[in-house]
Amino acid sequence: MKKMKKTATLLMLLILIPVLAACQRSKTGNEDADNALKSFSAILKAYPSAKGYHEALNHWGFALPSGEKFEWSSDMSANKADFAMVMLADPLVDAGLDIEKLDENEWLYEPAGKDDMGENLPNRLILPFNVSDKKVKTDGSEDSMMKILKENSSLIKYHEEQNHYRLLLSEGNEVQWTEELGKNDSDMIFVLKAQPLIDAGLDIDKLEGTGWTFREAGSEPGMGDNPDQIVKTFDIKQ
């Protein structure tokens, strides 16, 4: 009888080991990216009305209170950009930015109008970023984000001093989100490399009132060798 009990116990352990391993397995292949995904998912769950899906373009979007959006692809093979920062163009134009002087290989400008769902849209400045053209099947917004991060988890960095995650979209351009809602003054932050915008006419002395602020290179602890940037912070609950 004792031998039978030992055998049964051993069989149970053999069953539990792969189950426990599966529970601990990384979703993206990187601990910081896994934690960033968890934090991002918590934001989506807390503000479901801010999330939307654009079927024609195969992407998800999260609308921020002042009109900006953060977008990510549901099918990397169907889009030229897997991430996109969508910003209001007019405040930057009013601060001197000449849209025509921006590098058209890096920036997109979309004039005001209605989208294919009838929504009124303002003039928008878009910074797209492609991760991969790999075709993967996704199941919803969080799974779509996970599949993109899994393709290149090195895009995620954790900022220990400020308790937030950084999604690096080319040199100097970032989307940041809080590790935990309520833990930081800002829930999400858009960061843009300043020099290309300054070269296109942006006057950083005219940013007051736009929601954007100028940040000098090296002025942010824990941010490495980041260049001059302009930054806009968002408190989603407002």
Side-chain angles (χ1 to χ4, degrees):
M1 181 65 71
K2 288 183 178 180
K3 186 176 181 180
M4 289 180 64
K5 285 183 178 180
K6 288 181 179 179
T7 302
T9 301
L10 180 60
L11 286 171
M12 286 298 294
L13 287 172
L14 290 173
I15 292 169
L16 283 172
I17 287 170
V19 171
L20 290 171
C23 292
Q24 296 172 358
R25 189 177 298 130
S26 171
K27 290 184 177 181
T28 67
N30 177 278
E31 183 179 357
D32 282 346
D34 279 352
N35 291 334
L37 177 65
K38 181 180 178 181
S39 296
F40 187 73
S41 297
I43 293 173
L44 297 183
K45 286 182 172 67
Y47 303 101
S49 63
K51 184 181 75 174
Y53 180 66
H54 195 164
E55 188 171 359
L57 294 178
N58 293 300
H59 71 221
W60 294 92
F62 188 80
L64 294 157
S66 54
E68 286 81 2
K69 285 185 179 180
F70 172 48
E71 298 176 345
W72 63 101
S73 177
S74 65
D75 181 359
M76 289 182 283
S77 69
N79 291 303
K80 293 182 179 180
D82 298 314
F83 290 120
M85 299 166 68
V86 183
M87 292 146 288
L88 302 179
D90 289 352
L92 296 174
V93 170
D94 291 343
L97 180 67
D98 184 345
I99 299 296
E100 298 294 326
K101 292 182 179 179
L102 288 172
D103 186 343
E104 61 183 15
N105 294 315
E106 296 182 14
W107 297 87
L108 298 174
Y109 175 73
E110 291 288 344
K114 289 183 180 292
D115 66 9
D116 51 14
M117 295 180 286
E119 181 184 357
N120 289 315
L121 299 173
N123 295 321
R124 286 146 290 145
L125 185 62
I126 303 170
L127 182 70
F129 182 78
N130 194 49
V131 177
S132 172
D133 296 322
K134 181 179 179 180
K135 185 170 182 62
V136 291
K137 184 177 180 180
T138 59
D139 182 19
S141 58
E142 295 168 50
D143 187 55
S144 298
M145 173 67 80
M146 185 274 288
K147 295 285 174 56
I148 301 173
L149 294 182
K150 186 176 182 180
E151 195 64 20
N152 188 353
S153 60
S154 67
L155 295 174
I156 290 288
K157 303 295 180 186
Y158 178 61
H159 194 300
E160 291 189 13
E161 289 89 346
Q162 297 188 4
N163 303 121
H164 67 217
Y165 292 96
R166 304 164 59 203
L167 174 65
L168 310 181
L169 307 179
S170 70
E171 183 191 359
N173 302 305
E174 305 180 15
V175 178
Q176 303 173 355
W177 58 85
T178 184
E179 178 180 25
E180 181 182 338
L181 286 167
K183 197 168 188 175
N184 293 303
D185 292 336
S186 303
D187 299 315
M188 193 169 285
I189 304 173
F190 278 7
V191 181
L192 297 176
K193 186 177 180 179
Q195 198 58 52
L197 301 170
I198 293 170
D199 291 343
L202 179 69
D203 185 344
I204 59 172
D205 292 328
K206 295 181 179 179
L207 287 176
E208 185 175 355
T210 65
W212 293 92
T213 58
F214 178 72
R215 184 167 69 194
E216 289 186 3
S219 63
E220 191 76 5
M223 297 291 281
D225 297 326
N226 277 12
D228 289 342
Q229 296 166 317
I230 63 169
V231 178
K232 188 166 187 178
T233 61
F234 305 97
D235 184 358
I236 301 172
K237 63 180 175 291
Q238 288 185 349

